[in-house]
Amino acid sequence: MTERYDCHYCKESLFGKKYVLREENPYCVKCYESLYSNTCEECKKPIGCNTRDLSYKDRHWHEDCFKCFQCKRSLVDKPFSTKDEQLLCTECYSNEYSSKCHDCKKTIMPGSRKMEHKGNSWHETCFTCQRCQQPIGTKSFIPKDTHNYCVPCYEKQFAMQCVHCKKPITTGGVTYRDQPWHKDCFLCTSCKQQLAGQRFTSRDDFAYCLNCFCNLYAKKCASCTTPISGLGGSKYISFEERQWHNDCFNCKKCSVSLVGRGFLTERDDILCPECGKDI
């Protein structure tokens, strides 16, 4: 006797009929479609065994229903995009939703690389330096007015040149005598320490820190022999080509201050009138 071969669900014989295997169980086409076929997202009808089932993100379509929502052209084997769960061909999506290039004003197609800055978008090939016209890509750039510049071109065209090294100043410059300097280039003529942020003075147009200027050019106090800078409003006493710090202008014998008072001299010493009585 011939063994029976029946539909797993309705038990009707499958001899001479089309059938579908699912988990090793045979089903007649009618039972399989009613039990397992996906419903088309567009027409809401089952997608039968004899038609192509196209799926995207757990949604299914008949091949004839897989179309652009706007222009109704078939999307089978073509690139497409979605908006609010609607299928759109790349042309319709671009015309409706894609960014326009700030330079050429043409649509930036979905999937193509675009550059963005302050709310504007560019094709990668349109995002170029205004001066050299080379694509900027992911390199650093500097915007000026309505244009963008790569850093080397911006420095050549706009940045001030350091009066010392002749290179562009991009950050941290110092102005001295109406001329620009890098902080690292603005140094004491003598000790080569940076002068930016500290007090300094000049002689013959050369800048010096206060210590070097005092050691090189300041007069020496006749009492303590250290330099008298005279800078910043500090006061000193001068008498017969000798100078004293205010705090050093004291009587040699009793050490009383002689600032603003009469005094006497004995050789290199200065004395108050009281101590000078016996001279």
Short mmCIF file of all heavy atoms in Angstrom, two decimals, residues 220-271:
data_model
loop_
_atom_site.label_atom_id
_atom_site.label_comp_id
_atom_site.label_asym_id
_atom_site.label_seq_id
_atom_site.Cartn_x
_atom_site.Cartn_y
_atom_site.Cartn_z
N LYS A 220 73.86 103.54 40.57
CA LYS A 220 73.96 102.78 41.81
C LYS A 220 73.81 103.71 43.01
O LYS A 220 74.30 104.84 43.01
CB LYS A 220 75.31 102.05 41.89
CG LYS A 220 75.62 101.11 40.74
CD LYS A 220 74.62 99.99 40.65
CE LYS A 220 75.06 98.92 39.66
NZ LYS A 220 74.98 99.39 38.26
N CYS A 221 73.10 103.21 44.01
CA CYS A 221 72.92 103.97 45.25
C CYS A 221 74.26 104.15 45.94
O CYS A 221 75.02 103.17 46.12
CB CYS A 221 71.93 103.24 46.16
SG CYS A 221 71.69 104.03 47.77
N ALA A 222 74.58 105.38 46.36
CA ALA A 222 75.86 105.66 47.02
C ALA A 222 75.95 104.97 48.38
O ALA A 222 77.06 104.77 48.89
CB ALA A 222 76.03 107.16 47.18
N SER A 223 74.82 104.56 48.94
CA SER A 223 74.84 103.92 50.25
C SER A 223 74.87 102.40 50.14
O SER A 223 75.78 101.76 50.63
CB SER A 223 73.64 104.37 51.07
OG SER A 223 73.58 103.69 52.30
N CYS A 224 73.84 101.81 49.49
CA CYS A 224 73.74 100.34 49.45
C CYS A 224 74.35 99.74 48.19
O CYS A 224 74.45 98.51 48.09
CB CYS A 224 72.29 99.91 49.58
SG CYS A 224 71.26 100.32 48.13
N THR A 225 74.70 100.57 47.23
CA THR A 225 75.36 100.19 45.95
C THR A 225 74.47 99.37 45.01
O THR A 225 74.93 98.91 43.97
CB THR A 225 76.67 99.42 46.18
OG1 THR A 225 76.39 98.12 46.70
CG2 THR A 225 77.60 100.20 47.12
N THR A 226 73.19 99.16 45.35
CA THR A 226 72.31 98.45 44.42
C THR A 226 71.70 99.45 43.44
O THR A 226 71.65 100.66 43.71
CB THR A 226 71.18 97.71 45.17
OG1 THR A 226 70.44 98.66 45.93
CG2 THR A 226 71.75 96.66 46.11
N PRO A 227 71.21 98.98 42.26
CA PRO A 227 70.72 99.90 41.24
C PRO A 227 69.50 100.70 41.69
O PRO A 227 68.68 100.22 42.47
CB PRO A 227 70.35 98.99 40.07
CG PRO A 227 71.11 97.73 40.30
CD PRO A 227 71.21 97.59 41.79
N ILE A 228 69.41 101.92 41.19
CA ILE A 228 68.23 102.76 41.38
C ILE A 228 67.48 102.78 40.06
O ILE A 228 67.93 103.39 39.09
CB ILE A 228 68.62 104.19 41.80
CG1 ILE A 228 69.44 104.17 43.09
CG2 ILE A 228 67.39 105.06 41.95
CD1 ILE A 228 70.03 105.52 43.46
N SER A 229 66.33 102.13 40.04
CA SER A 229 65.63 102.02 38.75
C SER A 229 64.94 103.32 38.37
O SER A 229 64.90 103.70 37.20
CB SER A 229 64.62 100.88 38.80
OG SER A 229 63.54 101.21 39.65
N GLY A 230 64.35 103.99 39.33
CA GLY A 230 63.58 105.19 39.02
C GLY A 230 62.30 104.90 38.26
O GLY A 230 61.64 105.81 37.79
N LEU A 231 61.94 103.59 38.13
CA LEU A 231 60.75 103.20 37.37
C LEU A 231 59.55 103.08 38.29
O LEU A 231 59.67 102.87 39.49
CB LEU A 231 60.99 101.86 36.67
CG LEU A 231 62.16 101.84 35.68
CD1 LEU A 231 62.43 100.42 35.23
CD2 LEU A 231 61.87 102.74 34.49
N GLY A 232 58.38 103.21 37.70
CA GLY A 232 57.15 103.05 38.46
C GLY A 232 56.92 104.14 39.48
O GLY A 232 56.20 103.94 40.45
N GLY A 233 57.57 105.31 39.31
CA GLY A 233 57.34 106.41 40.24
C GLY A 233 58.18 106.35 41.50
O GLY A 233 57.97 107.15 42.41
N SER A 234 59.11 105.39 41.59
CA SER A 234 59.97 105.33 42.78
C SER A 234 60.87 106.56 42.82
O SER A 234 61.35 107.02 41.80
CB SER A 234 60.79 104.04 42.76
OG SER A 234 61.63 104.00 41.63
N LYS A 235 61.10 107.09 44.05
CA LYS A 235 61.84 108.35 44.21
C LYS A 235 63.27 108.09 44.67
O LYS A 235 63.55 107.08 45.31
CB LYS A 235 61.12 109.25 45.22
CG LYS A 235 59.73 109.68 44.76
CD LYS A 235 59.06 110.56 45.80
CE LYS A 235 57.67 110.99 45.33
NZ LYS A 235 57.00 111.85 46.33
N TYR A 236 64.13 108.99 44.29
CA TYR A 236 65.52 108.90 44.73
C TYR A 236 66.07 110.31 44.90
O TYR A 236 65.50 111.29 44.45
CB TYR A 236 66.36 108.07 43.76
CG TYR A 236 66.50 108.67 42.38
CD1 TYR A 236 67.62 109.42 42.04
CD2 TYR A 236 65.52 108.46 41.41
CE1 TYR A 236 67.76 109.97 40.78
CE2 TYR A 236 65.64 109.00 40.15
CZ TYR A 236 66.77 109.75 39.83
OH TYR A 236 66.90 110.30 38.58
N ILE A 237 67.21 110.40 45.60
CA ILE A 237 67.88 111.68 45.89
C ILE A 237 69.14 111.77 45.06
O ILE A 237 69.89 110.79 44.94
CB ILE A 237 68.24 111.78 47.38
CG1 ILE A 237 67.02 111.49 48.26
CG2 ILE A 237 68.84 113.16 47.70
CD1 ILE A 237 65.89 112.46 48.08
N SER A 238 69.38 112.92 44.44
CA SER A 238 70.59 113.14 43.66
C SER A 238 71.32 114.37 44.21
O SER A 238 70.71 115.43 44.43
CB SER A 238 70.23 113.34 42.18
OG SER A 238 71.39 113.55 41.41
N PHE A 239 72.65 114.21 44.41
CA PHE A 239 73.45 115.33 44.94
C PHE A 239 74.90 115.15 44.45
O PHE A 239 75.53 114.13 44.72
CB PHE A 239 73.40 115.36 46.47
CG PHE A 239 74.29 116.41 47.09
CD1 PHE A 239 73.96 117.76 46.99
CD2 PHE A 239 75.47 116.05 47.75
CE1 PHE A 239 74.78 118.73 47.56
CE2 PHE A 239 76.28 117.03 48.31
CZ PHE A 239 75.94 118.38 48.22
N GLU A 240 75.39 116.16 43.73
CA GLU A 240 76.76 116.18 43.23
C GLU A 240 77.15 114.86 42.56
O GLU A 240 78.11 114.18 42.94
CB GLU A 240 77.73 116.48 44.38
CG GLU A 240 77.61 117.91 44.90
CD GLU A 240 78.63 118.24 45.97
OE1 GLU A 240 79.34 117.29 46.44
OE2 GLU A 240 78.74 119.42 46.35
N GLU A 241 76.34 114.48 41.58
CA GLU A 241 76.58 113.29 40.76
C GLU A 241 76.53 111.99 41.54
O GLU A 241 77.01 110.95 41.09
CB GLU A 241 77.93 113.39 40.02
CG GLU A 241 77.98 114.58 39.06
CD GLU A 241 79.27 114.62 38.26
OE1 GLU A 241 80.13 113.75 38.48
OE2 GLU A 241 79.39 115.52 37.42
N ARG A 242 75.96 112.03 42.72
CA ARG A 242 75.70 110.82 43.50
C ARG A 242 74.18 110.68 43.70
O ARG A 242 73.46 111.66 43.74
CB ARG A 242 76.41 110.85 44.85
CG ARG A 242 77.93 110.72 44.73
CD ARG A 242 78.57 110.56 46.11
NE ARG A 242 78.41 111.76 46.93
CZ ARG A 242 78.61 111.79 48.25
NH1 ARG A 242 78.96 110.68 48.89
NH2 ARG A 242 78.46 112.92 48.92
N GLN A 243 73.75 109.44 43.82
CA GLN A 243 72.33 109.16 43.98
C GLN A 243 72.12 108.20 45.16
O GLN A 243 72.99 107.38 45.46
CB GLN A 243 71.74 108.52 42.70
CG GLN A 243 71.57 109.49 41.54
CD GLN A 243 72.86 109.77 40.81
OE1 GLN A 243 73.75 108.89 40.76
NE2 GLN A 243 73.02 110.96 40.26
N TRP A 244 70.95 108.35 45.78
CA TRP A 244 70.57 107.47 46.88
C TRP A 244 69.10 107.05 46.71
O TRP A 244 68.28 107.82 46.23
CB TRP A 244 70.68 108.19 48.24
CG TRP A 244 72.05 108.53 48.69
CD1 TRP A 244 72.83 107.86 49.58
CD2 TRP A 244 72.78 109.71 48.35
NE1 TRP A 244 74.03 108.50 49.80
CE2 TRP A 244 74.03 109.66 49.05
CE3 TRP A 244 72.55 110.81 47.49
CZ2 TRP A 244 75.00 110.65 48.94
CZ3 TRP A 244 73.52 111.78 47.39
CH2 TRP A 244 74.74 111.70 48.10
N HIS A 245 68.79 105.85 47.11
CA HIS A 245 67.38 105.50 47.32
C HIS A 245 66.84 106.38 48.43
O HIS A 245 67.57 106.74 49.35
CB HIS A 245 67.22 104.03 47.75
CG HIS A 245 67.62 103.03 46.73
ND1 HIS A 245 68.78 102.27 46.85
CD2 HIS A 245 67.03 102.64 45.57
CE1 HIS A 245 68.88 101.46 45.82
NE2 HIS A 245 67.83 101.67 45.02
N ASN A 246 65.57 106.72 48.37
CA ASN A 246 64.98 107.52 49.44
C ASN A 246 65.23 106.88 50.81
O ASN A 246 65.55 107.56 51.79
CB ASN A 246 63.47 107.67 49.23
CG ASN A 246 63.13 108.98 48.53
OD1 ASN A 246 63.98 109.58 47.87
ND2 ASN A 246 61.88 109.42 48.68
N ASP A 247 65.10 105.57 50.88
CA ASP A 247 65.25 104.87 52.16
C ASP A 247 66.72 104.80 52.61
O ASP A 247 66.99 104.50 53.79
CB ASP A 247 64.70 103.45 52.06
CG ASP A 247 63.19 103.43 51.88
OD1 ASP A 247 62.55 104.45 52.19
OD2 ASP A 247 62.66 102.39 51.43
N CYS A 248 67.64 105.08 51.66
CA CYS A 248 69.06 105.01 52.01
C CYS A 248 69.67 106.38 52.32
O CYS A 248 70.83 106.47 52.74
CB CYS A 248 69.84 104.36 50.86
SG CYS A 248 69.42 102.64 50.54
N PHE A 249 68.90 107.43 52.10
CA PHE A 249 69.44 108.79 52.29
C PHE A 249 69.33 109.16 53.77
O PHE A 249 68.46 109.91 54.20
CB PHE A 249 68.68 109.77 51.40
CG PHE A 249 69.34 111.11 51.27
CD1 PHE A 249 70.62 111.23 50.75
CD2 PHE A 249 68.69 112.27 51.68
CE1 PHE A 249 71.23 112.46 50.62
CE2 PHE A 249 69.29 113.51 51.55
CZ PHE A 249 70.57 113.60 51.02
N ASN A 250 70.25 108.61 54.54
CA ASN A 250 70.23 108.74 56.00
C ASN A 250 71.57 109.28 56.52
O ASN A 250 72.62 109.14 55.87
CB ASN A 250 69.95 107.39 56.66
CG ASN A 250 68.65 106.78 56.18
OD1 ASN A 250 67.67 107.49 55.97
ND2 ASN A 250 68.65 105.46 56.01
N CYS A 251 71.54 109.85 57.70
CA CYS A 251 72.76 110.32 58.36
C CYS A 251 73.69 109.15 58.62
O CYS A 251 73.26 108.10 59.11
CB CYS A 251 72.40 111.03 59.69
SG CYS A 251 73.83 111.50 60.68
N LYS A 252 74.96 109.33 58.33
CA LYS A 252 75.93 108.25 58.47
C LYS A 252 76.08 107.84 59.93
O LYS A 252 76.31 106.66 60.22
CB LYS A 252 77.28 108.70 57.90
CG LYS A 252 78.39 107.67 57.99
CD LYS A 252 78.12 106.49 57.09
CE LYS A 252 79.29 105.53 57.08
NZ LYS A 252 79.03 104.34 56.25
N LYS A 253 75.93 108.79 60.84
CA LYS A 253 76.17 108.50 62.25
C LYS A 253 74.91 108.01 62.97
O LYS A 253 74.91 106.97 63.61
CB LYS A 253 76.73 109.72 62.95
CG LYS A 253 78.18 110.05 62.54
CD LYS A 253 78.74 111.19 63.37
CE LYS A 253 80.21 111.47 62.99
NZ LYS A 253 80.80 112.55 63.83
N CYS A 254 73.83 108.80 62.92
CA CYS A 254 72.62 108.44 63.71
C CYS A 254 71.54 107.76 62.89
O CYS A 254 70.52 107.36 63.44
CB CYS A 254 72.06 109.68 64.40
SG CYS A 254 71.32 110.87 63.23
N SER A 255 71.74 107.67 61.58
CA SER A 255 70.82 106.96 60.66
C SER A 255 69.45 107.61 60.51
O SER A 255 68.53 107.01 59.96
CB SER A 255 70.62 105.50 61.09
OG SER A 255 71.85 104.81 61.07
N VAL A 256 69.28 108.84 60.96
CA VAL A 256 68.02 109.53 60.76
C VAL A 256 67.86 109.87 59.29
O VAL A 256 68.84 110.16 58.59
CB VAL A 256 67.95 110.81 61.64
CG1 VAL A 256 68.96 111.85 61.17
CG2 VAL A 256 66.54 111.39 61.63
N SER A 257 66.62 109.79 58.79
CA SER A 257 66.39 110.12 57.38
C SER A 257 66.64 111.60 57.12
O SER A 257 66.22 112.45 57.91
CB SER A 257 64.95 109.76 56.99
OG SER A 257 64.67 110.19 55.68
N LEU A 258 67.30 111.85 56.01
CA LEU A 258 67.58 113.23 55.63
C LEU A 258 66.72 113.70 54.46
O LEU A 258 66.94 114.79 53.93
CB LEU A 258 69.07 113.36 55.26
CG LEU A 258 70.05 113.02 56.40
CD1 LEU A 258 71.49 113.09 55.89
CD2 LEU A 258 69.86 113.97 57.58
N VAL A 259 65.75 112.90 54.07
CA VAL A 259 64.87 113.29 52.96
C VAL A 259 64.07 114.52 53.36
O VAL A 259 63.41 114.53 54.41
CB VAL A 259 63.93 112.13 52.57
CG1 VAL A 259 62.96 112.58 51.47
CG2 VAL A 259 64.71 110.91 52.13
N GLY A 260 64.19 115.56 52.57
CA GLY A 260 63.45 116.79 52.84
C GLY A 260 64.05 117.64 53.95
O GLY A 260 63.42 118.60 54.38
N ARG A 261 65.27 117.31 54.40
CA ARG A 261 65.91 118.06 55.46
C ARG A 261 67.28 118.56 55.00
O ARG A 261 67.85 118.04 54.04
CB ARG A 261 66.10 117.18 56.71
CG ARG A 261 64.80 116.65 57.29
CD ARG A 261 65.04 115.69 58.43
NE ARG A 261 65.83 116.34 59.49
CZ ARG A 261 66.26 115.71 60.60
NH1 ARG A 261 65.98 114.42 60.77
NH2 ARG A 261 66.96 116.36 61.51
N GLY A 262 67.82 119.51 55.73
CA GLY A 262 69.18 119.95 55.45
C GLY A 262 70.18 118.90 55.89
O GLY A 262 69.90 118.06 56.75
N PHE A 263 71.37 118.90 55.30
CA PHE A 263 72.39 117.92 55.65
C PHE A 263 73.77 118.53 55.36
O PHE A 263 73.92 119.53 54.65
CB PHE A 263 72.18 116.62 54.88
CG PHE A 263 72.26 116.76 53.39
CD1 PHE A 263 73.47 116.60 52.71
CD2 PHE A 263 71.13 117.08 52.64
CE1 PHE A 263 73.54 116.74 51.33
CE2 PHE A 263 71.20 117.22 51.27
CZ PHE A 263 72.41 117.05 50.60
N LEU A 264 74.78 117.87 55.89
CA LEU A 264 76.17 118.26 55.68
C LEU A 264 76.91 117.09 55.07
O LEU A 264 76.49 115.94 55.18
CB LEU A 264 76.83 118.67 57.02
CG LEU A 264 76.16 119.81 57.79
CD1 LEU A 264 76.78 119.95 59.18
CD2 LEU A 264 76.27 121.11 57.03
N THR A 265 78.04 117.35 54.45
CA THR A 265 78.84 116.27 53.88
C THR A 265 80.22 116.27 54.52
O THR A 265 80.79 117.32 54.86
CB THR A 265 79.00 116.44 52.34
OG1 THR A 265 79.66 117.66 52.08
CG2 THR A 265 77.64 116.41 51.66
N GLU A 266 80.72 115.07 54.71
CA GLU A 266 82.09 114.90 55.18
C GLU A 266 82.72 113.81 54.34
O GLU A 266 82.40 112.63 54.51
CB GLU A 266 82.14 114.53 56.66
CG GLU A 266 83.56 114.42 57.18
CD GLU A 266 83.62 113.99 58.62
OE1 GLU A 266 82.61 113.48 59.14
OE2 GLU A 266 84.67 114.16 59.24
N ARG A 267 83.59 114.25 53.41
CA ARG A 267 84.13 113.34 52.39
C ARG A 267 82.94 112.67 51.67
O ARG A 267 82.14 113.35 51.06
CB ARG A 267 85.08 112.33 53.02
CG ARG A 267 86.31 112.97 53.69
CD ARG A 267 87.27 111.91 54.21
NE ARG A 267 88.42 112.54 54.86
CZ ARG A 267 88.43 112.91 56.14
NH1 ARG A 267 87.36 112.69 56.90
NH2 ARG A 267 89.51 113.47 56.66
N ASP A 268 82.84 111.33 51.78
CA ASP A 268 81.75 110.63 51.06
C ASP A 268 80.51 110.43 51.93
O ASP A 268 79.53 109.82 51.49
CB ASP A 268 82.24 109.25 50.59
CG ASP A 268 83.28 109.38 49.48
OD1 ASP A 268 83.26 110.41 48.79
OD2 ASP A 268 84.08 108.44 49.31
N ASP A 269 80.54 110.91 53.14
CA ASP A 269 79.43 110.69 54.06
C ASP A 269 78.50 111.88 54.06
O ASP A 269 78.88 113.02 53.79
CB ASP A 269 79.94 110.44 55.48
CG ASP A 269 80.81 109.19 55.57
OD1 ASP A 269 80.57 108.26 54.77
OD2 ASP A 269 81.72 109.17 56.43
N ILE A 270 77.24 111.61 54.43
CA ILE A 270 76.26 112.68 54.65
C ILE A 270 75.82 112.61 56.11
O ILE A 270 75.67 111.51 56.68
CB ILE A 270 75.05 112.57 53.70
CG1 ILE A 270 74.40 111.17 53.80
CG2 ILE A 270 75.44 112.87 52.27
CD1 ILE A 270 73.10 111.08 53.03
N LEU A 271 75.65 113.81 56.71
CA LEU A 271 75.35 113.88 58.14
C LEU A 271 74.19 114.84 58.35
O LEU A 271 74.01 115.80 57.61
CB LEU A 271 76.56 114.37 58.92
CG LEU A 271 77.85 113.56 58.78
CD1 LEU A 271 79.02 114.32 59.40
CD2 LEU A 271 77.71 112.19 59.43
#
